[in-house]
Amino acid sequence: MRRRGNWRRDFRQRFGHYDAKFKQAITNRHTLWIHAVSVGEVNLCTQLIHALEPRLPNLKLVVSTTTTTGMAELEKRLPGHISRIYYPVDLRGCVSKALGTVRPEAIVLVEGEVWPNFLWKARKMGIPTFLVNARLSNRSYRGYRLLKFIFKPLFAAFAGVGAQNEADAARLTKLGFRPEAIRIVGSLKYDAAKLDERRVLHVPRILRQLGMPADSPILLGGSTHPGEEAILADVFKNLRKKFPNLVLVLVPRHFERSREVGKALKERGINFVYRNEVSITTQHDPGTVDCLVVNSTGELMHFYEHATVVFVGKSLTAEGGQNPIEPGSLARAMVFGPHMQNFADIAKRFVDQQGALQVNSAAELEQAFEQLLSDESLRRTMGMNAVRVVRENLGAIDKTVNMIVQHLEGGDLYVKRVRY
């Protein structure tokens, strides 16, 4: 929080204390509480809200997030009538104050944000809870298995769970979720990619301001993690011998690491500019800037749209992987490393249908980029294949909304609401 800044604003909300404006907004209202941990989940959350609001017009929506960057995205993406708060610290007193104030008709948790005290209190108050876009990495699954004696009764109390695939559904059942509560709906991330969404950031203009030719091919590293920027910088330097106009754009997963990224670039003699240093009046001479480091949030999709080739981060030097659906939905030729555990099923779909390349090392990454930069037809074909994968897997949002609405309107709840 200290590194990201702006943490003092509404800090008391993290302990269940809310101002008069928020309390007034929910007074005498039936509320639905939706929780999205950070920026990635906020994107899913906003799409879910757009689909939920028309179906549940009498419910006041309250959305929580954990990070300051998540809050910034909520404020940017959601209309003013939807209340936004910070998620409470998972201490009994804090969650009791929070739930006692909001008094939601139901709670929707986006992805795997499971905190015991919060869930215990919700169960005690008889509040139906839903888990949407549920996925389990191998690490998370092992952890929950070890602590099954704690989590099993909490998992069994969920009114509905939207699993991404059959493998996740089977794992969820083993952890204690009731089979009848689980629905296989697919990944919300396909719908959240918004194939027809209009972009408002003019990336070509920014690159021109940096003195980069309009026809320069762009190598983009998206949501990169420690070590990956250095690898991409080395690959970039090698590729420039064959593609002299090549431009490098790095978008670290956590923008507070930008200075660290800049240090790696300086060590390799790569001239770069930080995104927050680019203003309307910025103008660099041609050939003076090789790389743009995007140290801002919420702009990755804008840069994906104009990339020639894309590396999907957290897949080469770190485990888990980042979301490949975003560049795939924009028909970008993308490459990722061997560690895509958090998106295993999705990554396999892209690779199997020739919508992405998967590599095992920095050397293979360089070879893949050289092949793609040399072959426009291959890039176009991969992009079309990737878009087809996305289109074939749309519909998870509607299925998830149906699950929630049917429970709330039909009274088919696992726990009976109690008055409190």
Side-chain angles (χ1 to χ4, degrees):
M1 289 169 59
R2 180 178 58 81
R3 288 198 308 271
R4 292 183 178 182
N6 200 31
W7 60 271
R8 291 180 177 85
R9 180 186 170 194
D10 296 325
F11 184 68
R12 283 167 51 83
Q13 290 183 358
R14 299 182 184 275
F15 302 95
H17 297 284
Y18 305 101
D19 58 24
K21 182 179 179 181
F22 173 71
K23 291 179 179 178
Q24 183 178 10
I26 62 174
T27 298
N28 297 323
R29 298 292 303 274
H30 295 288
T31 62
L32 175 66
W33 185 336
I34 305 175
H35 177 56
V37 186
S38 192
V39 175
E41 293 78 16
V42 163
N43 187 29
L44 302 183
C45 178
T46 53
Q47 303 304 324
L48 189 62
I49 286 171
H50 292 325
L52 268 173
E53 269 200 299
R55 300 284 300 275
L56 299 170
N58 296 322
L59 284 182
K60 164 74 174 177
L61 299 184
V62 175
V63 184
S64 65
T65 187
T66 302
T67 67
T68 54
T69 49
M71 181 60 73
E73 284 299 298
L74 286 177
E75 292 175 341
K76 183 166 62 176
R77 291 171 176 267
L78 294 180
H81 68 275
I82 297 177
S83 296
R84 301 169 289 268
I85 60 174
Y86 280 111
Y87 193 70
V89 175
D90 199 53
L91 300 173
R92 289 185 182 181
C94 299
V95 298
S96 293
K97 287 188 181 75
L99 287 168
T101 300
V102 180
R103 296 174 178 257
E105 295 295 316
I107 297 167
V108 178
L109 304 176
V110 180
E111 295 199 346
E113 190 71 352
V114 176
W115 290 97
N117 282 312
F118 186 86
L119 292 177
W120 277 326
K121 185 63 178 179
R123 186 179 67 165
K124 185 176 181 180
M125 295 173 68
I127 303 171
T129 305
F130 300 87
L131 179 62
V132 303
N133 209 48
R135 60 176 174 83
L136 284 172
S137 65
N138 292 334
R139 182 178 178 182
S140 296
Y141 179 65
R142 289 193 299 267
Y144 284 130
R145 285 290 297 269
L146 288 173
L147 298 174
K148 191 174 179 179
F149 65 97
I150 294 177
F151 286 100
K152 184 176 180 179
L154 297 176
F155 291 160
F158 273 86
V161 181
Q164 294 190 24
N165 52 59
E166 292 183 1
D168 281 334
R171 283 183 162 188
L172 292 168
T173 301
K174 290 180 181 178
L175 292 177
F177 288 90
R178 296 172 300 114
E180 61 270 27
I182 299 173
R183 295 193 189 183
I184 300 172
V185 300
S187 174
L188 299 186
K189 292 183 182 290
Y190 287 107
D191 297 78
K194 296 291 284 183
L195 292 168
D196 57 351
E197 186 176 16
R198 180 174 174 269
R199 314 283 169 216
V200 294
L201 185 69
H202 202 302
V203 171
R205 181 184 302 154
I206 292 174
L207 299 181
R208 286 199 301 271
Q209 287 181 262
L210 299 180
M212 298 171 177
D215 59 348
S216 296
I218 300 170
L219 191 164
L220 187 148
S223 293
T224 53
H225 281 245
E228 291 178 332
E229 298 92 2
I231 291 174
L232 288 170
D234 290 335
V235 167
F236 168 72
K237 289 190 68 175
N238 292 336
L239 290 174
R240 253 205 163 180
K241 298 171 185 176
K242 185 174 182 179
F243 309 97
N245 291 330
L246 185 63
V247 169
L248 178 63
V249 176
L250 296 177
V251 189
R253 177 67 178 86
H254 301 106
F255 73 84
E256 60 268 24
R257 290 188 50 252
S258 297
R259 296 297 169 184
E260 173 189 330
V261 174
K263 181 180 178 182
L265 293 171
K266 284 180 181 178
E267 291 173 350
R268 288 159 175 80
I270 297 176
N271 298 319
F272 69 94
V273 170
Y274 290 114
R275 167 74 179 92
N276 65 358
E277 295 174 346
V278 181
S279 65
I280 296 176
T281 59
T282 298
Q283 189 60 57
H284 291 262
D285 293 331
T288 58
V289 179
D290 307 316
C291 172
L292 174 65
V293 178
V294 182
N295 58 344
S296 55
T297 59
E299 294 184 344
L300 178 56
M301 286 290 281
H302 300 281
F303 286 95
Y304 271 149
E305 188 171 19
H306 296 278
T308 308
V309 290
V310 168
F311 169 72
V312 179
K314 202 183 178 182
S315 63
L316 200 57
T317 63
E319 290 191 2
Q322 294 295 155
N323 184 8
I325 297 174
E326 293 177 343
S329 70
L330 295 169
R332 299 302 90 188
M334 61 176 162
V335 184
F336 40 77
H339 309 300
M340 291 291 288
Q341 294 88 341
N342 293 343
F343 298 88
D345 181 65
I346 294 170
K348 187 175 185 302
R349 289 175 189 266
F350 280 117
V351 173
D352 288 350
Q353 298 189 43
Q354 289 80 52
L357 296 176
Q358 189 163 25
V359 299
N360 293 304
S361 65
E364 289 185 15
L365 179 65
E366 183 176 329
Q367 292 171 4
F369 278 148
E370 182 175 358
Q371 179 186 14
L372 290 170
L373 289 169
S374 301
D375 193 337
E376 182 180 357
S377 176
L378 175 59
R379 295 198 306 271
R380 188 183 305 112
T381 300
M382 281 182 59
M384 292 172 59
N385 291 341
V387 170
R388 186 179 69 249
V389 171
V390 175
R391 292 190 183 280
E392 288 175 351
N393 288 278
L394 295 175
I397 290 276
D398 289 337
K399 294 175 184 176
T400 299
V401 168
N402 287 338
M403 175 184 71
I404 296 170
V405 171
Q406 287 171 9
H407 277 283
L408 295 180
E409 291 185 343
D412 182 20
L413 300 176
Y414 176 65
V415 288
K416 184 179 180 181
R417 291 299 307 273
V418 297
R419 307 313 301 172
Y420 44 84

